[in-house]
Amino acid sequence: MKSFLALAVLAIAAAAPAGPATAAPDHAGMHPATADIGHPASQATRTVQIDMTDNMRFTPSRIDVRPGETVRFVVKNSGQIRHEFVLGTPADLQAHYQMMLQQPGAAHHAGGNAVSLAAGQTGELSWQFPAQGEVDFGCLEPGHYPAGMLGKVIVAAP
């Protein structure tokens, strides 16, 4: 019995991720952030309106921010089908999109770096962008991302 318990503990430990959290998706709710793209924040210094449509586009598709700035995104789905706004690195978004294709009907994104909205809904998230660089965003609903439903946040000094 002790050897079985020891093997079970080793198996669980081997399966557990080592080191800090990455932007791997968690369909129970929040998607953890990485230092590369920033983190959720509560006190926004600016509000940006984002519109999502069934022509598989975000308006605007490019947003310029300053390092350290916290932006409140107010996201509206003007379309007739579900869309979402997910912040991430290109690699994270692509990997998450592939996972979504393999798990149709998976829980919709909410909290952290993502908001998922049915037709006509409006939602929001606040995000702090700590360093210069680029942060991508996209809709990871099947078919939307490869159809061009993506954009960029450009983080640069004025």
Side-chain angles (χ1 to χ4, degrees):
M1 181 69 171
K2 285 185 181 180
S3 62
F4 174 75
L5 183 58
L7 286 174
V9 169
L10 286 174
I12 292 169
T22 64
D26 171 7
H27 283 271
M30 185 157 170
H31 294 238
T34 65
D36 296 333
I37 67 166
H39 54 84
S42 58
Q43 298 296 323
T45 54
R46 176 166 60 126
T47 298
V48 173
Q49 306 280 334
I50 304 273
D51 190 41
M52 304 184 293
T53 63
D54 294 344
N55 69 353
M56 303 304 156
R57 296 294 181 262
F58 290 99
T59 303
S61 60
R62 177 189 164 128
I63 301 155
D64 293 299
V65 303
R66 288 185 218 123
E69 188 172 10
T70 300
V71 176
R72 178 177 153 243
F73 293 100
V74 177
V75 185
K76 180 178 183 186
N77 181 354
S78 295
Q80 300 300 310
I81 59 177
R82 179 171 289 281
H83 293 294
E84 59 185 19
F85 174 82
V86 181
L87 292 163
T89 66
D92 289 339
L93 291 175
Q94 184 61 36
H96 193 149
Y97 177 73
Q98 292 303 316
M99 187 195 73
M100 292 291 289
L101 288 176
Q102 294 175 9
Q103 297 179 10
H108 295 290
H109 304 103
N113 64 330
V115 60
S116 179
L117 302 168
Q121 287 186 327
T122 299
E124 63 182 66
L125 66 87
S126 292
W127 197 261
Q128 184 176 45
F129 299 91
Q132 290 192 150
E134 294 182 359
V135 177
D136 286 35
F137 57 89
C139 178
L140 304 182
E141 289 289 324
H144 298 200
Y145 190 68
M149 198 162 186
L150 49 96
K152 285 196 180 292
V153 177
I154 308 299
V155 186

